[in-house]
Structure formats: structure tokens, C-alpha cells
Amino acid sequence: WARAVRGLLLDVSGVLYDSGGDGGVPIAGSVEAVRRIKASGLKLRFCTNETQATREKFVKKLQGMGFDISVAEVTAPAPAACRILKERSLRPHLLVHNDLVPEFAEIDKADPNCVVIGDAAENFTYANLNEAFRVLIGMEKPVLISLGRGRYYKETDGLKLDVGAYMKALEYACDVQAEVVGKPAKMFFESALAEMGLPPEQALMIGDDIVNDVGGAQRCGMRALQVRTGKYRPCDENHPHVKPDAYVNNLAEAVDIILQQL
Amino acid sequence: WARAVRGLLLDVSGVLYDSGGDGGVPIAGSVEAVRRIKASGLKLRFCTNETQATREKFVKKLQGMGFDISVAEVTAPAPAACRILKERSLRPHLLVHNDLVPEFAEIDKADPNCVVIGDAAENFTYANLNEAFRVLIGMEKPVLISLGRGRYYKETDGLKLDVGAYMKALEYACDVQAEVVGKPAKMFFESALAEMGLPPEQALMIGDDIVNDVGGAQRCGMRALQVRTGKYRPCDENHPHVKPDAYVNNLAEAVDIILQQL
């Protein structure tokens, strides 16, 4: 699986670091692994479904942990959603994290004709969910755009429901199908490939999420590894539909093997 | 459709009364209609998916509106769930309305091995949803019992997401299928029939919900009417899957016709 790789797509949370109340802790060897990728000449994109912060804030946090990363290297759902909103003249009602709102600064939000849902975390209140529902059910043809379809993620104080769960609640209540903008949407991976200027056969995705990272990348024709860090669980290795090209214990081990093949 | 009926199953909200911020208002003729059913010797069960209050509280509210009703005549999801919990030695983590908790007073809730979800309303907080999720995902074989599958309902201050939406969120996050205890579950109607001691052919359901009342009862072999009160909407008369045995303007009209046939 490691042969003829010219570019890497790295998931961030659970691969580079474990998130937590105090911001997060780098996973052992990951800071050095990113440095080694960059030194090797391999192309690199950080592909995150993170929607709890602007890319600026997100990158600053990672830099604070020692990672060599810049905003221009990050593929994320909010900018992808903004492109769609502009193209289709959609005015969103936002159900997102407060810290993500600045990503939509340029977007007209008056008299909404769609709902955009992200990982709103503490903003997923009963009142806010009912409000988003009422906006949606009041439309002649409800449009729901979801910044990902993740089921859950891990923080230091435990597992948390991700945007996908709340998306399903609204889908069911309004009898509508959400348009998913983040991983595992094909368009999302294709954007990252375009940004690297590589065909899928030359790219390798490394993630901790069997469905959104591994399955999504493979459906685009890329190879994909699952790391045994982050949200990885042993039962992932018996997943009924998705089989990674390989498992590695962590990012550092993956990078060791890839660099040996260069 | 009115011939050889020996027992009636009545939905409550939308058939007997319209709910609202101040408790509710009887639908014209319904108080008298219940009295006439009882005087006729027909068997009678009140079948509700109400899970925001104990049956005691619920019945007291109806008595306050003038209805002749007692707790023993009510078939509701919480007692049905309690029977299942006891039969299968399940210890629930409850995500329900505070006012429903007393229905589970006799049930062992230590070291939970299932989650029971009802219309928790204000208790559907981010923290409570995450907690129910963590309990569920932590089980080797997650068991989720849902006290209904309603999508939404109307209150005086607007539409609210119902238990079905939150059920879908947990189903998706844990990759599990909920067991639904309230209407339209077959077991729910079968309990009501058993309580009346009647076979389905001799029973008639009267409800305002085309899917949960009419469709559910018909799938058990009963006849079923839809009233044009409560959540009834004219488009229900073109429902793609469910066709009531008859429409009536309200409960009083149904009772008139049934009593003429006795």
C-alpha cells in the first residue's frame, strides 16, 4: 500500500492530536511525523471535518502544540459550504458553533432559505434545534446542508455526539435528505486532491474514522489507512463494508513505512 | 364499518381535547360521547402516546375537563415499557420528561443495560443526549427503547421536535435500531386488545393520526377511523399507504353511528 505515494491527506483530530477540554495533546510522534512528511517533498493536505472553529483558530491551536501547519494547507467543510451557498444563492440559517460563525461573514443570512448545520456542540440546545427545525419545515422545499456526517467523537471528558446525529434528527422530522459537505462526501476529497494537483491513485488518506476517512477516500479511488489512535475501536477491524488498505498503530508508524518506500 | 363493534380504542390528544399552554380544551361533543360509550356497554380503552406526564397526572387533567376516565382505562407507552424491562431484566437509563419518571419508580435503574427515550422536551439538552449516547455506545449490544416515533407536534408557542427525531439521532450514532413501544407498534395495540379481552375484528380505533393511530391499528386487524380534529390535515385523505375505514368529523359523530348499529 505504501508504493508510489506522492501525496498524503491527513485527518487531524485523532491522528495528530487528541482533543480535550484544555485544547488537546499531540499524539506521540505526530509532530515529528508531520515535519518528516514536509522534509520528504511529499505533498500534504490536512483534511478535517472540524467545524467548532475557524481555520485560523484551528491552525493556531495546532501550531501551539508544535505542528508545522498553515491555514492554506487545510481543507475544511465551512469554506466548501460557502462556495455552495454563493453558487446557489442560498441564505443560511446557521446552527453551528459560535466560533465557526466568522467563516460565514460574507454570506447573506437574511430571510433564510436553507439551514446549515455543523458541530454546534453546546449550541445544540432544545431551543436551537426546534428553531432550526421550524425554519426548515416552513420551507416549500427544505434545503439542509450538513458540514459532515460524523456520528461521534472523543474528547478528554468523554464521547460526544457529532453533527451527523443532529442531521439525522432534522432529516427525519422534515422528511428531507441533507447535502453533506465534509468527509465522506466525494467532492470534499476531490477538492483536496485538486489542491495537491494529484490523481487519486497517487494519494493516501490517513485517518482514525473507518467510514468518513477510510471509506470516503477509497470511494474516490485513493488508498487509505486507519490509525489505531483517536476514535479507533478494535471492532472497526471487522467493519462490514469498509476495509482499509492497512492498519498502523499511529501516524508515526505510517510515515516510517511511507518514507522507506520513497 | 360500524357493524359488530364490541370495543373502542380512543386516541386522546386531538380526539378528546386539543392541547395548549393552559392545559387543553375539550373538543365539542367529546365529553358526552365518552359518557355515551360507557352507558352503551361497549368496552373502552384510551390509547395515548403521551409521555410528558404520568397516567395519574394525565387522567387528572382529563377529569378536570369533564371526562369520565380512570388510570386503569389508559394504555400508554411507559407501562408497556416497564413490562418489557421486567420481562427482559433490563435496567434503563432514562431520557424522559421529569413528570414521567414516577412511572418507572418500581424499576431497577442501577448499572443500566438499556436506554429508554421518551418525549423529554426541555430535558433534551446537549449534556443529556451525550450522556444517553455514552451509556448506549458503552454496551456490548446496545438496547434502545423508544416511547413513540413521532416526528413533531404543535404547541401553542409553535412546532416542537418529538421523540422520534431524537431516537433517530441515537440510532444513527450507535448504529442500532430502536424498539418502539408506543403507537404504531403492534404490541401496543395488542396490549389494549388483551386488556379489553377482544379479538381485533371486534375492535375499532378512533384517532387523528393517519399513520400512528389508523395505520397501526389496521395492521393489527382492527378497523380504524380518522377524525377531522386535532392534527388531521386534508392531505391525510390522499395518504399513499394508509386508508381509514371511514372519516368522521369528530368523535361525537363516530359514536352516533356506532350506537345506532348496536
Side-chain angles (χ1 to χ4, degrees):
Chain A
W1 56 265
R3 294 181 58 188
V5 170
R6 294 196 45 215
L8 296 180
L9 295 81
L10 301 189
D11 178 33
V12 179
S13 174
V15 174
L16 300 192
Y17 77 106
D18 277 320
S19 58
D22 51 349
V25 184
I27 291 170
S30 289
V31 169
E32 183 58 23
V34 170
R35 225 188 310 265
R36 291 176 69 203
I37 295 167
K38 291 200 165 179
S40 74
L42 284 170
K43 297 198 175 179
L44 177 61
R45 292 295 299 176
F46 298 96
C47 295
T48 179
N49 266 10
E50 169 68 43
T51 59
Q52 284 204 2
T54 56
R55 281 163 299 164
E56 281 72 13
K57 205 168 163 182
F58 177 68
V59 160
K60 205 161 275 177
K61 183 174 78 174
L62 287 159
Q63 289 169 341
M65 292 183 227
F67 287 102
D68 179 0
I69 181 173
S70 69
V71 170
E73 295 169 314
V74 176
T75 302
C82 286
R83 278 196 300 275
I84 290 174
L85 294 171
K86 281 178 192 159
E87 275 166 26
R88 289 161 53 188
S89 302
L90 291 170
R91 300 176 306 276
H93 170 90
L94 298 177
L95 177 53
V96 302
H97 198 284
N98 290 345
D99 290 347
L100 192 72
V101 173
E103 292 270 15
F104 296 89
E106 314 263 284
I107 302 286
D108 180 8
K109 290 176 281 291
D111 186 21
N113 58 2
C114 79
V115 168
V116 171
I117 182 174
D119 175 18
E122 305 289 343
N123 275 350
F124 281 133
T125 62
Y126 181 60
N128 286 349
L129 276 164
N130 279 330
E131 194 187 350
F133 159 67
R134 274 180 224 131
V135 170
L136 207 52
I137 198 87
M139 295 172 194
E140 202 178 331
K141 205 174 167 302
V143 175
L144 175 61
I145 295 176
S146 186
L147 306 179
R149 54 181 302 123
R151 302 196 300 162
Y152 58 88
Y153 54 86
K154 193 177 179 175
E155 291 198 331
T156 41
D157 57 342
L159 296 173
K160 303 280 172 75
L161 288 169
D162 199 357
V163 59
Y166 294 95
M167 171 191 91
K168 285 288 169 184
L170 292 176
E171 281 188 340
Y172 176 72
C174 300
D175 198 16
V176 64
Q177 178 124 35
E179 304 174 36
V180 178
V181 170
K183 295 179 283 185
K186 209 165 176 185
M187 214 178 61
F188 188 82
F189 290 103
E190 287 170 350
S191 296
L193 286 171
E195 286 152 351
M196 294 199 293
L198 289 182
E201 314 82 67
Q202 297 182 4
L204 177 75
M205 173 79 206
I206 303 176
D208 65 335
D209 187 313
I210 182 77
V211 170
N212 291 308
D213 295 328
V214 175
Q218 287 179 332
R219 263 206 312 282
C220 288
M222 282 181 250
R223 285 163 280 176
L225 307 186
Q226 190 178 12
V227 288
R228 294 196 182 95
T229 55
K231 72 168 71 164
Y232 163 85
R233 296 193 306 167
C235 67
D236 289 347
E237 306 206 12
N238 304 313
H239 194 280
H241 308 305
V242 184
K243 185 113 215 113
D245 292 86
Y247 295 95
V248 287
N249 285 321
N250 49 47
L251 177 64
E253 183 182 315
V255 170
D256 275 345
I257 300 170
I258 293 160
L259 296 189
Q260 281 166 21
Q261 291 282 337
L262 285 184
Chain B
W1 56 265
R3 294 180 59 186
V5 169
R6 294 198 44 216
L8 296 180
L9 295 81
L10 301 189
D11 179 31
V12 179
S13 175
V15 174
L16 300 191
Y17 77 105
D18 277 321
S19 58
D22 51 351
V25 184
I27 291 170
S30 290
V31 169
E32 183 57 23
V34 170
R35 225 188 309 266
R36 292 177 69 202
I37 295 168
K38 291 201 165 180
S40 74
L42 283 169
K43 298 197 175 181
L44 177 61
R45 294 296 300 175
F46 299 96
C47 296
T48 179
N49 265 9
E50 169 68 44
T51 61
Q52 283 204 2
T54 58
R55 280 164 301 163
E56 281 72 15
K57 206 168 161 179
F58 177 69
V59 160
K60 206 162 274 177
K61 184 175 78 175
L62 287 159
Q63 288 170 341
M65 292 182 225
F67 287 101
D68 179 0
I69 181 173
S70 69
V71 170
E73 295 169 314
V74 176
T75 302
C82 287
R83 277 196 299 279
I84 291 175
L85 295 170
K86 282 178 192 160
E87 276 166 26
R88 289 162 53 186
S89 302
L90 291 170
R91 300 176 305 275
H93 170 91
L94 298 177
L95 178 53
V96 301
H97 198 284
N98 289 346
D99 290 347
L100 193 71
V101 173
E103 292 269 16
F104 297 88
E106 313 263 284
I107 302 286
D108 179 10
K109 291 178 281 286
D111 186 21
N113 57 3
C114 79
V115 168
V116 171
I117 183 174
D119 175 18
E122 305 289 343
N123 275 350
F124 281 132
T125 63
Y126 181 60
N128 286 350
L129 276 164
N130 280 329
E131 195 188 349
F133 160 67
R134 274 180 223 129
V135 170
L136 206 52
I137 197 86
M139 295 171 195
E140 203 179 328
K141 203 171 169 304
V143 175
L144 175 60
I145 294 177
S146 186
L147 306 179
R149 56 181 301 126
R151 301 196 300 164
Y152 57 88
Y153 54 87
K154 194 176 179 176
E155 291 198 332
T156 40
D157 58 340
L159 296 175
K160 303 280 173 76
L161 289 168
D162 199 357
V163 59
Y166 294 96
M167 171 192 90
K168 285 286 169 186
L170 292 177
E171 281 189 340
Y172 177 71
C174 300
D175 197 16
V176 65
Q177 179 125 34
E179 305 174 36
V180 178
V181 170
K183 296 179 283 186
K186 210 169 174 181
M187 216 179 56
F188 188 82
F189 291 102
E190 287 170 350
S191 297
L193 287 171
E195 287 151 351
M196 294 198 293
L198 289 181
E201 313 83 66
Q202 298 182 2
L204 177 74
M205 172 81 205
I206 303 176
D208 65 335
D209 187 314
I210 181 77
V211 170
N212 290 310
D213 295 329
V214 176
Q218 287 180 331
R219 265 207 310 283
C220 289
M222 282 182 253
R223 285 164 280 176
L225 307 186
Q226 189 178 12
V227 289
R228 294 196 182 96
T229 56
K231 73 168 70 162
Y232 163 85
R233 295 190 307 168
C235 66
D236 290 345
E237 306 207 12
N238 305 312
H239 194 279
H241 307 306
V242 185
K243 187 112 213 116
D245 293 85
Y247 295 95
V248 287
N249 285 322
N250 50 47
L251 177 64
E253 184 182 316
V255 171
D256 276 345
I257 300 172
I258 293 160
L259 297 189
Q260 281 166 22
Q261 291 282 335
L262 286 184

